[in-house]
Structures are given as structure tokens and as C-alpha cells.
Amino acid sequence: MGYGAIRHQAGPTRETRSVKKAPWVSYELHIGPVPEGVPLLHTCGNRRCVRPDHLALGSPDSLPRKRGPKPRTSCPRGHAYTPESTYVYQGSRSCRTCRRIRSQQAAAARRAARQKR
């Protein structure tokens, strides 16, 4: 998705009509004019955002880098993901220890069900 646009008419004639990007209009209304040649950046990373406190002038290098989620080093139960303890199938990881525990619990449940018969 791109930027929102606002039709702007600066004077009484059709020649004074223009279309401006919504974040630029928001910045100019709340903060001031955007200098020529200086990019307007979204600190939130959302191109559709028009909140003045999410807009900043500068180069993209001046913004903090977005970091994705931290890679997980352990399973939800706390077992470490190591090459020996991790099972990988079609790109997804699972913990061998947790799989073994689930398998043992399922086997115990099957034995208990057989004994009740």
C-alpha cells in the first residue's frame, strides 16, 4: 500500500490545484513546512500513518533499525535448542525432549485405557 493523497487547491483557479501526500500535509499543518530535498520519514514504519509525532525529517540512516523477533534459544518448556536436541521438519523446529515426554505420556494413557477394559 502507498501513501494516502489529499487534493489541495492553493488558489481560485484550476492551475493552483495539486495532490499532496497525506503525511506531508499532516507534517505541514502540525509542525511546519518540509524543506525541499529532505525526506519525510515514518518513525513507526507505517506508510499510511499521519500522526505528526510519528513523522520526522532526515535520512533513513538516522532511524533506529527495526529488529525482528529475537531468535528463540529454547523451547516453551525451557529446553535448549541445540543441534542434538532439536528436530527440524519442513522448516519448523521442535524439541526432542518435549516430543519424548509427549510420546511417553500418550503411551501411558494408552496402557491405562487398556487396563480399564
Side-chain angles (χ1 to χ4, degrees):
M1 297 251 172
Y3 295 102
I6 296 174
R7 182 174 285 175
H8 177 267
Q9 188 156 348
T13 63
R14 284 186 134 191
E15 290 78 32
T16 59
R17 190 182 309 167
S18 66
V19 176
K20 287 190 165 188
K21 294 176 182 170
W24 276 257
V25 173
S26 174
Y27 189 89
E28 289 175 351
L29 286 173
H30 296 282
I31 297 170
V34 178
E36 193 72 32
V38 178
L40 184 62
L41 307 171
H42 296 265
T43 57
C44 61
N46 181 1
R47 291 177 61 173
R48 291 185 273 173
C49 180
V50 294
R51 288 182 55 175
D53 56 327
H54 289 190
L55 302 172
L57 296 174
S59 68
D61 297 332
S62 64
L63 287 179
R65 290 275 174 223
K66 275 192 165 181
R67 293 181 182 93
K70 291 182 181 177
R72 294 193 176 151
T73 57
S74 62
C75 77
R77 288 189 174 175
H79 305 120
Y81 280 137
T82 63
E84 299 81 30
S85 70
T86 306
Y87 176 74
V88 179
Y89 179 72
Q90 294 183 346
S92 82
R93 295 186 296 184
S94 72
C95 175
R96 287 184 190 268
T97 306
C98 290
R99 287 173 62 100
R100 190 177 329 106
I101 291 169
R102 280 193 304 272
S103 176
Q104 290 170 349
Q105 289 172 344
R110 283 192 302 271
R111 280 193 300 274
R114 262 188 258 136
Q115 287 177 356
K116 285 186 180 179
R117 288 189 220 166

